[in-house]
Amino acid sequence: SMTLEFTAYNANLQTMTKATIIFESSFAGRISTRVARYATARLDPYHASMRYFELAYLIFTVGYLLEFFYTLLKLRRAAVEMLKDGWVWIRFCSMIASLVSLIVWYVYTPFLANFNQTTDFMHPNSVEDFAGWILLYSRCSAIAALTIFLRSLEFLAQSKPRVMLLLRTVKMGTSHVVIYLIYIFAVFCGFVAFAQNYFAAYSSNFVTVPKSFLSCFYLFFGQNSAMTTVDGNAAVLKVTFYVLFIICFYFFSVQMFNAIINYAYNRVSEEMEPQLEAERRSRKKDAFQVWCHRRAGNDSHAGEGARGSQAGENSKNGGKDGHSGGAAAGARAVQAPG
């Protein structure tokens, strides 16, 4: 075997990559295996505009973690029951992933900023180490981002009965889905065993159990490239296997899964019907109150307009009466004796 190892620097993307290429050959000199591994570290991942968001993220993460442990210590007797809640573990994983990503970020960012200005880039192992830490940061950040958005469902479930309905449906149907997946996995293993024993003589995609498992797994998702390598003329049961596999996993399995979800949804809907009915009544009541307020506002504006018109008419009539009274007084003054 021969191993080729080198380091490449990309100035446009500010990345440092360690490449390892392994060639394995037979005794006759024929190269039988080629393996290429890459480890890339970005040297300039920091943006000054994100500094304030990072500080706010760090403050909220540490504060939420302290509040989490304070709640556990305060409720020591109920801590066991509290840990049975799945949302507690989601919050805990979110906080740990956020904290690890922030620690890795603040510890290794200064080294990455000056990495290409020192002699560390000359050592491929240093590049691989930094690439490993960046990979850890990326994974923890991905987990933290996912769990943060999942935690939003918890807060919505406390205020929205519809969200609570969906979450309770998932909770009720989880056990049935797990049991059903065990049954389906047993049937799937039967198809894998059949494919490995029968198609191994016709295709290299079925020569071992892991390859047969992957080929059937790809077939489950609609990729039948492994089946096209099997000669249908020689393997007379190819069509039978394919048709039975499609019927079992494309029709029966999908419909049974939908039936489990529908059953759980209907059960939860029946249990939450009073709460949902109260929500509908509250929504209708709020809409009626808004309509009454709008109607009262329109009536008050119309009344004010009518009163304003009446006042204008009265002032106009008063002006006319004053003008007539002044003219009469002037006439009497003229007729009076000197």
mmCIF file of all heavy atoms in Angstrom, residues 38-40 57 93-102 104-105 128-148:
data_model
loop_
_atom_site.group_PDB
_atom_site.id
_atom_site.type_symbol
_atom_site.label_atom_id
_atom_site.label_comp_id
_atom_site.label_asym_id
_atom_site.label_seq_id
_atom_site.Cartn_x
_atom_site.Cartn_y
_atom_site.Cartn_z
ATOM 1 N N TYR A 38 -10.398 13.716 3.780
ATOM 2 C CA TYR A 38 -10.133 15.149 3.803
ATOM 3 C C TYR A 38 -10.558 15.722 5.149
ATOM 4 O O TYR A 38 -11.588 15.328 5.710
ATOM 5 C CB TYR A 38 -10.897 15.873 2.686
ATOM 6 C CG TYR A 38 -10.606 15.345 1.302
ATOM 7 C CD1 TYR A 38 -11.443 14.402 0.709
ATOM 8 C CD2 TYR A 38 -9.481 15.770 0.603
ATOM 9 C CE1 TYR A 38 -11.179 13.904 -0.551
ATOM 10 C CE2 TYR A 38 -9.209 15.278 -0.668
ATOM 11 C CZ TYR A 38 -10.059 14.351 -1.236
ATOM 12 O OH TYR A 38 -9.793 13.852 -2.480
ATOM 13 N N ALA A 39 -9.750 16.631 5.649
ATOM 14 C CA ALA A 39 -10.063 17.353 6.887
ATOM 15 C C ALA A 39 -9.818 18.836 6.615
ATOM 16 O O ALA A 39 -8.691 19.252 6.337
ATOM 17 C CB ALA A 39 -9.194 16.870 8.049
ATOM 18 N N THR A 40 -10.904 19.622 6.661
ATOM 19 C CA THR A 40 -10.839 21.040 6.292
ATOM 20 C C THR A 40 -11.161 21.906 7.492
ATOM 21 O O THR A 40 -12.110 21.632 8.234
ATOM 22 C CB THR A 40 -11.827 21.341 5.151
ATOM 23 O OG1 THR A 40 -11.518 20.494 4.035
ATOM 24 C CG2 THR A 40 -11.718 22.796 4.724
ATOM 25 N N TYR A 57 -26.200 35.305 23.229
ATOM 26 C CA TYR A 57 -26.410 33.853 23.226
ATOM 27 C C TYR A 57 -25.722 33.196 24.413
ATOM 28 O O TYR A 57 -26.280 32.307 25.066
ATOM 29 C CB TYR A 57 -25.892 33.290 21.906
ATOM 30 C CG TYR A 57 -26.130 31.813 21.700
ATOM 31 C CD1 TYR A 57 -27.361 31.246 21.976
ATOM 32 C CD2 TYR A 57 -25.123 30.987 21.224
ATOM 33 C CE1 TYR A 57 -27.589 29.902 21.775
ATOM 34 C CE2 TYR A 57 -25.338 29.639 21.022
ATOM 35 C CZ TYR A 57 -26.573 29.102 21.298
ATOM 36 O OH TYR A 57 -26.791 27.764 21.109
ATOM 37 N N CYS A 93 -30.157 18.854 26.623
ATOM 38 C CA CYS A 93 -29.288 18.649 25.447
ATOM 39 C C CYS A 93 -29.035 19.959 24.714
ATOM 40 O O CYS A 93 -27.921 20.204 24.233
ATOM 41 C CB CYS A 93 -29.926 17.625 24.502
ATOM 42 S SG CYS A 93 -30.002 15.947 25.169
ATOM 43 N N SER A 94 -30.058 20.800 24.640
ATOM 44 C CA SER A 94 -29.886 22.094 23.976
ATOM 45 C C SER A 94 -28.874 22.962 24.709
ATOM 46 O O SER A 94 -27.996 23.578 24.085
ATOM 47 C CB SER A 94 -31.237 22.807 23.888
ATOM 48 O OG SER A 94 -31.087 24.094 23.326
ATOM 49 N N MET A 95 -28.967 22.998 26.030
ATOM 50 C CA MET A 95 -28.045 23.832 26.795
ATOM 51 C C MET A 95 -26.617 23.295 26.739
ATOM 52 O O MET A 95 -25.662 24.066 26.597
ATOM 53 C CB MET A 95 -28.531 23.919 28.245
ATOM 54 C CG MET A 95 -29.801 24.735 28.404
ATOM 55 S SD MET A 95 -30.341 24.871 30.120
ATOM 56 C CE MET A 95 -30.865 23.183 30.450
ATOM 57 N N ILE A 96 -26.457 21.967 26.834
ATOM 58 C CA ILE A 96 -25.116 21.392 26.787
ATOM 59 C C ILE A 96 -24.493 21.606 25.411
ATOM 60 O O ILE A 96 -23.310 21.986 25.292
ATOM 61 C CB ILE A 96 -25.167 19.901 27.144
ATOM 62 C CG1 ILE A 96 -25.593 19.724 28.608
ATOM 63 C CG2 ILE A 96 -23.817 19.244 26.911
ATOM 64 C CD1 ILE A 96 -24.672 20.368 29.608
ATOM 65 N N ALA A 97 -25.257 21.373 24.352
ATOM 66 C CA ALA A 97 -24.728 21.571 22.996
ATOM 67 C C ALA A 97 -24.368 23.034 22.759
ATOM 68 O O ALA A 97 -23.326 23.347 22.160
ATOM 69 C CB ALA A 97 -25.749 21.099 21.964
ATOM 70 N N SER A 98 -25.194 23.945 23.252
ATOM 71 C CA SER A 98 -24.887 25.376 23.098
ATOM 72 C C SER A 98 -23.635 25.752 23.863
ATOM 73 O O SER A 98 -22.774 26.496 23.355
ATOM 74 C CB SER A 98 -26.075 26.215 23.578
ATOM 75 O OG SER A 98 -27.236 25.931 22.844
ATOM 76 N N LEU A 99 -23.512 25.233 25.081
ATOM 77 C CA LEU A 99 -22.349 25.576 25.903
ATOM 78 C C LEU A 99 -21.059 25.019 25.305
ATOM 79 O O LEU A 99 -20.026 25.714 25.261
ATOM 80 C CB LEU A 99 -22.553 25.047 27.319
ATOM 81 C CG LEU A 99 -21.639 25.621 28.404
ATOM 82 C CD1 LEU A 99 -21.853 27.115 28.532
ATOM 83 C CD2 LEU A 99 -21.914 24.935 29.737
ATOM 84 N N VAL A 100 -21.095 23.780 24.813
ATOM 85 C CA VAL A 100 -19.894 23.182 24.207
ATOM 86 C C VAL A 100 -19.498 23.935 22.948
ATOM 87 O O VAL A 100 -18.306 24.207 22.717
ATOM 88 C CB VAL A 100 -20.143 21.688 23.916
ATOM 89 C CG1 VAL A 100 -18.994 21.107 23.102
ATOM 90 C CG2 VAL A 100 -20.290 20.915 25.215
ATOM 91 N N SER A 101 -20.478 24.284 22.121
ATOM 92 C CA SER A 101 -20.162 25.025 20.893
ATOM 93 C C SER A 101 -19.552 26.387 21.203
ATOM 94 O O SER A 101 -18.591 26.820 20.542
ATOM 95 C CB SER A 101 -21.422 25.194 20.047
ATOM 96 O OG SER A 101 -22.385 25.979 20.721
ATOM 97 N N LEU A 102 -20.053 27.064 22.236
ATOM 98 C CA LEU A 102 -19.484 28.360 22.605
ATOM 99 C C LEU A 102 -18.076 28.216 23.166
ATOM 100 O O LEU A 102 -17.193 29.035 22.858
ATOM 101 C CB LEU A 102 -20.393 29.040 23.630
ATOM 102 C CG LEU A 102 -21.730 29.574 23.096
ATOM 103 C CD1 LEU A 102 -22.628 29.998 24.240
ATOM 104 C CD2 LEU A 102 -21.501 30.738 22.140
ATOM 105 N N VAL A 104 -15.848 25.793 22.507
ATOM 106 C CA VAL A 104 -14.949 25.472 21.390
ATOM 107 C C VAL A 104 -14.699 26.702 20.534
ATOM 108 O O VAL A 104 -13.572 26.958 20.082
ATOM 109 C CB VAL A 104 -15.539 24.319 20.558
ATOM 110 C CG1 VAL A 104 -14.713 24.078 19.298
ATOM 111 C CG2 VAL A 104 -15.601 23.037 21.386
ATOM 112 N N TRP A 105 -15.740 27.494 20.334
ATOM 113 C CA TRP A 105 -15.614 28.689 19.503
ATOM 114 C C TRP A 105 -14.638 29.691 20.108
ATOM 115 O O TRP A 105 -13.714 30.163 19.433
ATOM 116 C CB TRP A 105 -16.984 29.325 19.315
ATOM 117 C CG TRP A 105 -16.969 30.601 18.553
ATOM 118 C CD1 TRP A 105 -16.980 31.867 19.050
ATOM 119 C CD2 TRP A 105 -16.914 30.746 17.133
ATOM 120 N NE1 TRP A 105 -16.950 32.796 18.049
ATOM 121 C CE2 TRP A 105 -16.915 32.139 16.858
ATOM 122 C CE3 TRP A 105 -16.879 29.858 16.082
ATOM 123 C CZ2 TRP A 105 -16.869 32.627 15.565
ATOM 124 C CZ3 TRP A 105 -16.846 30.355 14.786
ATOM 125 C CH2 TRP A 105 -16.839 31.730 14.547
ATOM 126 N N GLU A 128 -5.397 18.640 10.917
ATOM 127 C CA GLU A 128 -6.427 17.640 11.214
ATOM 128 C C GLU A 128 -7.039 17.863 12.587
ATOM 129 O O GLU A 128 -8.253 17.689 12.775
ATOM 130 C CB GLU A 128 -5.817 16.241 11.127
ATOM 131 C CG GLU A 128 -6.835 15.118 11.237
ATOM 132 C CD GLU A 128 -6.213 13.761 11.013
ATOM 133 O OE1 GLU A 128 -4.964 13.682 10.901
ATOM 134 O OE2 GLU A 128 -6.972 12.782 10.952
ATOM 135 N N ASP A 129 -6.213 18.258 13.565
ATOM 136 C CA ASP A 129 -6.734 18.525 14.900
ATOM 137 C C ASP A 129 -7.708 19.700 14.894
ATOM 138 O O ASP A 129 -8.800 19.631 15.485
ATOM 139 C CB ASP A 129 -5.584 18.804 15.869
ATOM 140 C CG ASP A 129 -4.747 17.562 16.124
ATOM 141 O OD1 ASP A 129 -5.255 16.448 15.885
ATOM 142 O OD2 ASP A 129 -3.572 17.716 16.534
ATOM 143 N N PHE A 130 -7.307 20.776 14.222
ATOM 144 C CA PHE A 130 -8.197 21.930 14.143
ATOM 145 C C PHE A 130 -9.471 21.598 13.381
ATOM 146 O O PHE A 130 -10.560 22.046 13.748
ATOM 147 C CB PHE A 130 -7.480 23.107 13.488
ATOM 148 C CG PHE A 130 -6.589 23.860 14.430
ATOM 149 C CD1 PHE A 130 -5.219 23.854 14.266
ATOM 150 C CD2 PHE A 130 -7.127 24.572 15.487
ATOM 151 C CE1 PHE A 130 -4.390 24.543 15.139
ATOM 152 C CE2 PHE A 130 -6.307 25.266 16.367
ATOM 153 C CZ PHE A 130 -4.932 25.249 16.191
ATOM 154 N N ALA A 131 -9.346 20.812 12.328
ATOM 155 C CA ALA A 131 -10.532 20.406 11.569
ATOM 156 C C ALA A 131 -11.464 19.566 12.433
ATOM 157 O O ALA A 131 -12.691 19.675 12.329
ATOM 158 C CB ALA A 131 -10.117 19.637 10.324
ATOM 159 N N GLY A 132 -10.894 18.727 13.294
ATOM 160 C CA GLY A 132 -11.728 17.943 14.209
ATOM 161 C C GLY A 132 -12.486 18.803 15.194
ATOM 162 O O GLY A 132 -13.671 18.556 15.469
ATOM 163 N N TRP A 133 -11.818 19.843 15.726
ATOM 164 C CA TRP A 133 -12.515 20.729 16.652
ATOM 165 C C TRP A 133 -13.590 21.540 15.945
ATOM 166 O O TRP A 133 -14.667 21.790 16.503
ATOM 167 C CB TRP A 133 -11.515 21.656 17.336
ATOM 168 C CG TRP A 133 -10.695 20.985 18.376
ATOM 169 C CD1 TRP A 133 -9.370 20.663 18.321
ATOM 170 C CD2 TRP A 133 -11.158 20.529 19.650
ATOM 171 N NE1 TRP A 133 -8.964 20.029 19.466
ATOM 172 C CE2 TRP A 133 -10.046 19.939 20.310
ATOM 173 C CE3 TRP A 133 -12.389 20.550 20.308
ATOM 174 C CZ2 TRP A 133 -10.139 19.392 21.582
ATOM 175 C CZ3 TRP A 133 -12.484 20.003 21.571
ATOM 176 C CH2 TRP A 133 -11.376 19.442 22.188
ATOM 177 N N ILE A 134 -13.316 21.969 14.727
ATOM 178 C CA ILE A 134 -14.337 22.696 13.964
ATOM 179 C C ILE A 134 -15.516 21.783 13.657
ATOM 180 O O ILE A 134 -16.684 22.212 13.674
ATOM 181 C CB ILE A 134 -13.723 23.263 12.667
ATOM 182 C CG1 ILE A 134 -12.701 24.354 13.018
ATOM 183 C CG2 ILE A 134 -14.798 23.832 11.757
ATOM 184 C CD1 ILE A 134 -13.282 25.534 13.772
ATOM 185 N N LEU A 135 -15.237 20.511 13.377
ATOM 186 C CA LEU A 135 -16.319 19.561 13.136
ATOM 187 C C LEU A 135 -17.165 19.376 14.398
ATOM 188 O O LEU A 135 -18.401 19.297 14.331
ATOM 189 C CB LEU A 135 -15.749 18.226 12.671
ATOM 190 C CG LEU A 135 -16.759 17.128 12.339
ATOM 191 C CD1 LEU A 135 -17.677 17.565 11.199
ATOM 192 C CD2 LEU A 135 -16.035 15.834 11.975
ATOM 193 N N LEU A 136 -16.508 19.309 15.568
ATOM 194 C CA LEU A 136 -17.242 19.218 16.828
ATOM 195 C C LEU A 136 -18.104 20.449 17.046
ATOM 196 O O LEU A 136 -19.266 20.353 17.483
ATOM 197 C CB LEU A 136 -16.262 19.047 17.983
ATOM 198 C CG LEU A 136 -16.868 19.043 19.398
ATOM 199 C CD1 LEU A 136 -17.811 17.868 19.577
ATOM 200 C CD2 LEU A 136 -15.763 19.022 20.445
ATOM 201 N N TYR A 137 -17.559 21.615 16.729
ATOM 202 C CA TYR A 137 -18.329 22.856 16.863
ATOM 203 C C TYR A 137 -19.549 22.846 15.939
ATOM 204 O O TYR A 137 -20.651 23.240 16.341
ATOM 205 C CB TYR A 137 -17.428 24.046 16.545
ATOM 206 C CG TYR A 137 -18.189 25.328 16.315
ATOM 207 C CD1 TYR A 137 -18.703 26.054 17.381
ATOM 208 C CD2 TYR A 137 -18.382 25.813 15.022
ATOM 209 C CE1 TYR A 137 -19.403 27.225 17.172
ATOM 210 C CE2 TYR A 137 -19.082 26.983 14.809
ATOM 211 C CZ TYR A 137 -19.592 27.682 15.883
ATOM 212 O OH TYR A 137 -20.291 28.840 15.677
ATOM 213 N N SER A 138 -19.362 22.381 14.717
ATOM 214 C CA SER A 138 -20.475 22.352 13.762
ATOM 215 C C SER A 138 -21.567 21.392 14.223
ATOM 216 O O SER A 138 -22.761 21.703 14.136
ATOM 217 C CB SER A 138 -19.960 21.951 12.375
ATOM 218 O OG SER A 138 -18.982 22.857 11.911
ATOM 219 N N ARG A 139 -21.176 20.226 14.731
ATOM 220 C CA ARG A 139 -22.175 19.260 15.189
ATOM 221 C C ARG A 139 -22.935 19.765 16.403
ATOM 222 O O ARG A 139 -24.169 19.655 16.464
ATOM 223 C CB ARG A 139 -21.479 17.937 15.515
ATOM 224 C CG ARG A 139 -20.946 17.206 14.279
ATOM 225 C CD ARG A 139 -20.123 15.985 14.667
ATOM 226 N NE ARG A 139 -19.673 15.258 13.486
ATOM 227 C CZ ARG A 139 -18.846 14.207 13.524
ATOM 228 N NH1 ARG A 139 -18.381 13.777 14.694
ATOM 229 N NH2 ARG A 139 -18.486 13.610 12.403
ATOM 230 N N CYS A 140 -22.219 20.334 17.369
ATOM 231 C CA CYS A 140 -22.897 20.863 18.551
ATOM 232 C C CYS A 140 -23.809 22.029 18.192
ATOM 233 O O CYS A 140 -24.923 22.158 18.736
ATOM 234 C CB CYS A 140 -21.867 21.306 19.590
ATOM 235 S SG CYS A 140 -20.934 19.944 20.329
ATOM 236 N N SER A 141 -23.368 22.872 17.273
ATOM 237 C CA SER A 141 -24.210 23.992 16.854
ATOM 238 C C SER A 141 -25.470 23.502 16.140
ATOM 239 O O SER A 141 -26.559 24.058 16.322
ATOM 240 C CB SER A 141 -23.414 24.918 15.926
ATOM 241 O OG SER A 141 -22.286 25.448 16.591
ATOM 242 N N ALA A 142 -25.331 22.449 15.334
ATOM 243 C CA ALA A 142 -26.499 21.900 14.641
ATOM 244 C C ALA A 142 -27.503 21.318 15.637
ATOM 245 O O ALA A 142 -28.716 21.540 15.524
ATOM 246 C CB ALA A 142 -26.054 20.827 13.646
ATOM 247 N N ILE A 143 -27.000 20.577 16.639
ATOM 248 C CA ILE A 143 -27.888 20.014 17.654
ATOM 249 C C ILE A 143 -28.559 21.125 18.456
ATOM 250 O O ILE A 143 -29.763 21.067 18.762
ATOM 251 C CB ILE A 143 -27.102 19.070 18.577
ATOM 252 C CG1 ILE A 143 -26.603 17.853 17.791
ATOM 253 C CG2 ILE A 143 -27.960 18.618 19.750
ATOM 254 C CD1 ILE A 143 -25.694 16.942 18.582
ATOM 255 N N ALA A 144 -27.796 22.164 18.800
ATOM 256 C CA ALA A 144 -28.362 23.269 19.572
ATOM 257 C C ALA A 144 -29.442 23.997 18.774
ATOM 258 O O ALA A 144 -30.507 24.323 19.322
ATOM 259 C CB ALA A 144 -27.249 24.247 19.967
ATOM 260 N N ALA A 145 -29.189 24.242 17.497
ATOM 261 C CA ALA A 145 -30.183 24.932 16.674
ATOM 262 C C ALA A 145 -31.460 24.111 16.543
ATOM 263 O O ALA A 145 -32.573 24.642 16.624
ATOM 264 C CB ALA A 145 -29.596 25.235 15.292
ATOM 265 N N LEU A 146 -31.315 22.786 16.352
ATOM 266 C CA LEU A 146 -32.495 21.926 16.226
ATOM 267 C C LEU A 146 -33.305 21.905 17.510
ATOM 268 O O LEU A 146 -34.541 22.059 17.492
ATOM 269 C CB LEU A 146 -32.056 20.510 15.854
ATOM 270 C CG LEU A 146 -33.156 19.449 15.797
ATOM 271 C CD1 LEU A 146 -34.192 19.799 14.744
ATOM 272 C CD2 LEU A 146 -32.560 18.074 15.531
ATOM 273 N N THR A 147 -32.641 21.724 18.649
ATOM 274 C CA THR A 147 -33.369 21.638 19.915
ATOM 275 C C THR A 147 -33.977 22.976 20.319
ATOM 276 O O THR A 147 -35.021 22.998 20.988
ATOM 277 C CB THR A 147 -32.431 21.147 21.030
ATOM 278 O OG1 THR A 147 -31.223 21.941 21.030
ATOM 279 C CG2 THR A 147 -32.051 19.694 20.813
ATOM 280 N N ILE A 148 -33.373 24.084 19.924
ATOM 281 C CA ILE A 148 -33.962 25.390 20.226
ATOM 282 C C ILE A 148 -35.302 25.546 19.523
ATOM 283 O O ILE A 148 -36.290 26.015 20.104
ATOM 284 C CB ILE A 148 -32.994 26.514 19.839
ATOM 285 C CG1 ILE A 148 -31.846 26.595 20.855
ATOM 286 C CG2 ILE A 148 -33.705 27.863 19.779
ATOM 287 C CD1 ILE A 148 -30.746 27.546 20.466
#
